[in-house]
Every structure is written in structure tokens, then in C-alpha cells.
Amino acid sequence: MEKQSSSATNGKPVNRHLILASHSNLKFKETLSINWGAKTAMERGPVVASLTNPRARNAIGAHSGSYTVYRALSIASGKFPPQHRPDLENTQSPVQIGPYSQWMDPTKIVSLDPWGLDPQIGFKPLFEQGYDIRPSIAVTQAHLQIPEVAEAIAKGRLKKDGKIVLDTGDIKVTKVAIEPVWYLPGMAARLGVDEGELRRILFQETGGMYPEFITRQDLKVWLPPIGSTTVYIFGDPKDLANPKVELTCRVHDECNGSDVFGSDICTCRPYLMYGIEDAARTAQRGGVGLIAYYRKEGRALGEVTKFLVYNARKRQKGGDSAATYFHRTECVAGTEDARFQEFMPDCLHFFGITKIHNLHSMSNMKYDAIVKSGIEVVNRISIPDELIPKDAQVEMEAKKAAGYFSKDGAKQGSALESVKGRKIDE
Ligand SMILES: [Zn+2]
């Protein structure tokens, strides 16, 4: 029986019939198969995760990552028409990206959908048949206005050239938003675990949010409710795939406190800004720059855990010290780091990258993941000492002591213990 409730929907009729996709016999003739790693968009088949026609869905989860929840609130309050289908006219990328050979290798890219860029073009015949296929990647252009860049220009480190750095001091960029689309067999293989085991743990650890992990083993693709990745490109995006063109690249994990608010306990914003400056400079000398920004706050442990760790570090006996930096994180969170850099290189492969000439990252986990994925790295660039905030010395020395890359080596023993941060209330 169907019942309409006018209070929740402002009188607009809504479909109250729930389809629980929890039976393996729920396969319909309009459900398209996904052949991950196939050579063309149409051979690969689209990821259909829109909710306007549940019979056509061939993935677990929904588009927009964590924003699915806000969309639900908006629909519940009657302010959002659930059957809305996007008008994609003129939304396509202003530049050509791919297809690259990595798109056709089922092992190179497993955590995003390269054919999710401009599906209205790649899957045109299916749009004509009425399929509601949503983009999971979008590309646009912008100008960046950044105080540190203005300072770099004022100090003569960066010059205005009218092309990359405009006369106004703005930097011209192409920016790319990439939603996570996880191909579960590929994810399991890369982690070295059994797919069934991965599905069972994903089901359990999300509090049973997605029963299809267990009941629909035929659905191989999941759109997880997590943040997207944003990529900023300096220079011609086509050059990213040309190993002969110098590429300067920073792979940056989100740190809202530093990146946005300038909090001084870490080096995240200074390193990010230095990466942007160097990426722009590389583009000016005929190369190309790329900054990839991953929403993995607090080493993917989240900001609440991160702030608890800050307090625990500052209150511990002997004060905040480089020697005990990782230990306090592990005490609170249960692990030092939950980022799993294994999937980070996927977005580099999306752009056809095979060689990075200058990698801005001191993290061995990131370096190892990139090299293991088949991308050559020529130089590794650490943050210049003068850009490290005083209170961030604890983080910096702890990371160097733990084996992070640095030109000048790491402090050990009492020298490491003597690197201290501020106390609570200081
Ligand atoms: Zn930080």
C-alpha cells in the first residue's frame, strides 16, 4: 500500500515504494554490464548509480560521495525533486583529457571511473535510449589568487608572464573534480585481500550501510560516501601524459586547519603553497604542474581524532616531542595512519602520467605507491626549512626520523627528543 504524506513533501507526490536491492535475483534486462578496463567507453559500459530508474542501476551506493546525505535531507524536506535529471548541455570539459592506455588497464585505475568524465559524449547512444548516467568527473578553468603567490612575486621568486601568472598576479589553472568510484575486485587485489573478505568488512565497518556488499556479489562497483579528489593543473593538461615534458607534482592530503585556517602545528599549507609556486614556475619554463588534493583529513582518521591527538601530545609527560609524535597518534586512533596511499596514484594515471620529474612530497608511503604503480620519479623535493612554522618542527623532525625523505637527513636520540612543541594554553 502506498501512502502520501503532505507534511514531509510540501504536497508534492513522491514515490514511497522502496526497492531493497538486497536480492541477487534483482537483475533486470536494462541493467548494463561493466567490463572494467575495456578499450572504449561503450565496451566498458557506464556506471549507472542514479536513482531515477532503480532497474538500471549497476553499482552500489550513490553519486556525490558524502553529499548523498544532504541530498536526502533536501528531498525529505520537500525542497529537492528526487526525479530530477541533470541537463548536461555545455557542462563538458573545456580541454581534452584522455583516453590514455591506463584507462584500459584494469589494474592501473581501480578507485575512480575515467569514463565518468563527460559521459554524455562517451555514452551518447545510451543517453538517447534514456539512461540516466551521471558524470563522476568534471573539469573547469579558474584563476587562483593566493597571498603566498603574491609574496613570491614580490620577492622575485615567481615572475608575471601573462600566460601562467597573469599581470594581476593571478595564476591560470585547469581544475578537475574526481568522485570516488571503487571497483571492488581491483581494490581487493591491490590490498592483497580476498574480495569477499573486503566486502564483508566494508559491510560490517559501515554499520551495515550497504547490504549489497553481501547480497549482490554481482555488483562490482561501489560509490563510497567519502570526499572527492581535486586536481589543479598548471600549463597544458595534455603535457601531463608526455614524459618528455617536465612535470612538477604535489600529492597533498587535506589538512583543513593548516590549508584553510593557517594553523601552525604542521607544514601542510606552507608545503602546498610552495608546491603551487613551483608548479607555476615549471609551467612557465615549458613544463606542466599538477597539485592533487585528497580529502583525507588527519591521515584519514578525521579531524576529531586529530584534535584529540594534538591535546594528548601537548599534555604528555615531557611535553610535545618529535620522539613521541607517532606514538600518541597510535594510542588515540589505533593506527598511525589510515590513508592507504595504494590508491592515490590512480588519479595520476587518469591523466596518463608515466614520469614525474619533481615530486613535492617527503612521504615514503606516497613515493613507494607512485613508483610501485609504474610511474618514474626523478627528483624528490622537500619543503624549504624557512617555510616550516616553529611549532611544526615536532612534526617535521618526527617524520624525518621515521624515514620520510629529506635532503639533510634526520635527527636521532637526544637531538630528536629536544625538538619540542608548545604546551596547552601557550
Ligand atoms: Zn597539517
Side-chain angles (χ1 to χ4, degrees):
M1 192 175 88
E2 296 198 358
K3 211 178 150 202
Q4 304 291 344
S5 157
S6 57
S7 60
T9 59
N10 290 347
K12 291 187 199 89
V14 292
N15 183 4
R16 306 205 148 267
H17 181 61
L18 277 179
I19 293 184
L20 293 171
S22 54
H23 312 289
S24 54
N25 60 355
L26 266 179
K27 288 176 203 157
F28 303 100
K29 64 178 184 323
E30 58 260 63
T31 310
L32 300 163
S33 63
I34 298 172
N35 307 300
W36 201 262
K39 293 230 170 333
T40 65
M42 287 299 284
E43 282 173 46
R44 210 297 304 270
V47 171
V48 183
S50 57
L51 298 150
T52 49
N53 177 11
R55 286 169 172 262
R57 280 168 54 78
N58 60 9
I60 305 169
H63 280 289
S64 309
S66 51
Y67 298 107
T68 52
V69 180
Y70 286 105
R71 184 172 177 272
L73 289 182
S74 183
I75 288 170
S77 69
K79 294 187 177 119
F80 190 115
Q83 288 299 314
H84 173 76
R85 292 174 67 146
D87 173 1
L88 295 174
E89 194 181 355
N90 292 333
T91 61
Q92 74 276 12
S93 171
V95 294
Q96 174 77 30
I97 293 176
Y100 296 114
S101 63
Q102 289 100 319
W103 295 22
M104 298 139 201
D105 178 338
T107 65
K108 284 277 189 224
I109 298 178
V110 298
S111 63
L112 60 88
D113 173 16
W115 303 105
L117 170 65
D118 297 333
Q120 67 277 29
I121 299 169
F123 299 107
K124 192 162 183 273
L126 297 172
F127 271 80
E128 284 160 4
Q129 289 172 41
Y131 278 94
D132 181 9
I133 305 161
R134 306 283 173 98
S136 59
I137 298 178
V139 184
T140 190
Q141 292 165 329
H143 291 184
L144 306 184
Q145 300 178 329
I146 299 176
E148 283 90 337
V149 168
E151 193 186 305
I153 294 168
K155 291 191 169 162
R157 297 199 304 267
L158 195 59
K159 304 235 176 329
K160 294 174 182 174
D161 66 328
K163 277 202 234 148
I164 305 293
V165 181
L166 306 178
D167 293 341
T168 51
D170 296 0
I171 300 184
K172 264 184 90 167
V173 292
T174 302
K175 56 182 187 176
V176 185
I178 303 173
E179 235 174 58
V181 178
W182 288 7
Y183 177 60
L184 295 168
M187 306 276 295
R190 206 173 294 173
L191 288 173
V193 300
D194 174 65
E195 186 196 331
E197 183 69 356
L198 176 64
R199 296 176 82 106
R200 185 183 65 76
I201 296 173
L202 282 170
F203 173 68
Q204 274 179 350
E205 295 300 317
T206 53
M209 263 170 96
Y210 300 94
E212 297 96 325
F213 282 136
I214 307 300
T215 59
R216 294 292 309 272
Q217 304 272 335
D218 58 306
L219 296 177
K220 299 295 185 189
V221 171
W222 177 40
L223 280 65
I226 59 173
S228 54
T229 298
T230 314
V231 173
Y232 284 79
I233 300 164
F234 305 73
D236 188 341
K238 277 201 287 295
D239 288 339
L240 291 167
N242 183 350
K244 293 194 181 80
V245 176
E246 183 186 9
L247 167 58
T248 293
C249 170
R250 168 146 181 84
V251 281
H252 186 93
D253 290 332
E254 177 175 34
C255 172
N256 182 269
S258 172
D259 295 343
V260 178
F261 289 94
S263 173
D264 71 341
I265 197 168
C266 56
T267 54
C268 301
R269 180 177 171 104
Y271 211 170
L272 177 61
M273 296 304 141
Y274 180 61
I276 290 172
E277 179 187 324
D278 207 26
R281 229 178 350 251
T282 307
Q284 287 182 320
R285 58 176 181 255
V288 60
L290 179 143
I291 308 281
Y293 191 89
Y294 301 84
R295 300 305 187 314
K296 289 185 185 172
E297 179 62 66
R299 299 191 206 130
L301 297 165
E303 217 173 28
V304 169
T305 297
K306 188 179 191 178
F307 290 7
L308 298 174
V309 170
Y310 287 161
N311 287 342
R313 276 172 49 191
K314 289 177 180 299
R315 285 205 184 98
Q316 70 189 314
K317 201 162 167 263
D320 189 13
S321 151
T324 55
Y325 173 82
F326 285 109
H327 176 65
R328 287 313 301 163
T329 306
E330 199 167 341
C331 288
V332 177
T335 179
E336 279 180 13
D337 201 308
R339 283 178 287 184
F340 294 102
Q341 299 296 354
E342 281 86 345
F343 305 108
M344 172 271 290
D346 286 21
C347 100
L348 306 177
H349 289 294
F350 171 68
F351 294 102
I353 291 173
T354 56
K355 184 171 182 176
I356 297 172
H357 300 73
N358 313 301
L359 176 65
H360 278 242
S361 169
M362 294 167 68
S363 161
N364 281 349
M365 285 182 287
K366 289 180 185 169
Y367 173 80
D368 291 344
I370 290 171
V371 171
K372 200 175 163 198
S373 81
I375 294 173
E376 183 189 347
V377 174
V378 184
N379 301 308
R380 297 174 71 181
I381 316 282
S382 49
I383 184 172
D385 286 342
E386 64 271 21
L387 295 179
I388 302 172
K390 189 159 168 290
D391 204 42
Q393 290 293 347
V394 170
E395 177 211 294
M396 191 45 63
E397 291 304 329
K399 286 184 170 177
K400 286 193 214 164
Y404 276 52
F405 171 74
S406 156
K407 283 201 303 291
D408 350 297
K411 290 188 170 71
Q412 301 293 345
S414 59
L416 184 65
E417 281 163 28
S418 70
V419 180
K420 299 276 188 186
R422 284 196 305 264
K423 299 188 182 71
I424 291 276
D425 273 344
E426 266 186 346

